[in-house]
Amino acid sequence: MFKRALATTLFAAAVVTATAAPATADPTLPFPTPGMLIVLSYYNDYQHHDLAGQVWWGCGGPRESWGEQTAHVVVGKVPCDPPTHPEG
């Protein structure tokens, strides 16, 4: 009986611990990203009005970031060499 109660308590503690941790992993993206700058924009709300932080990498530069990483993320891609506009 004691072993069953101990096992149940440990299992319940593991479930609570596992579900209480926030997800902070970045979405899976192809790596490396030749010719593209990848930008992850993190928002404080699901409507994406309140920008909380960003992470970016690619175009031969190091991974950089600012702000906070939240659960509301939008992935963007920008070409490293944007097209030039003809002078008019």
Side-chain angles (χ1 to χ4, degrees):
M1 172 113 174
F2 177 73
K3 288 182 182 180
R4 183 178 289 172
L6 179 61
T8 304
T9 303
L10 291 175
F11 178 73
V15 169
V16 169
T17 302
T19 58
T24 58
D26 292 338
T28 303
L29 297 171
F31 224 101
T33 54
M36 297 298 286
L37 179 68
I38 305 298
V39 181
L40 304 180
S41 298
Y42 294 94
Y43 294 87
N44 286 326
D45 59 343
Y46 71 94
Q47 296 171 334
H48 303 152
H49 292 297
D50 187 17
L51 186 64
Q54 289 182 313
V55 176
W56 61 92
W57 67 88
C59 299
R63 180 182 174 113
E64 297 188 45
S65 66
W66 69 269
E68 299 179 37
Q69 294 181 8
T70 65
H72 306 288
V73 63
V74 174
V75 179
K77 296 186 291 185
V78 180
C80 292
D81 297 318
T84 56
H85 298 289
E87 294 181 23

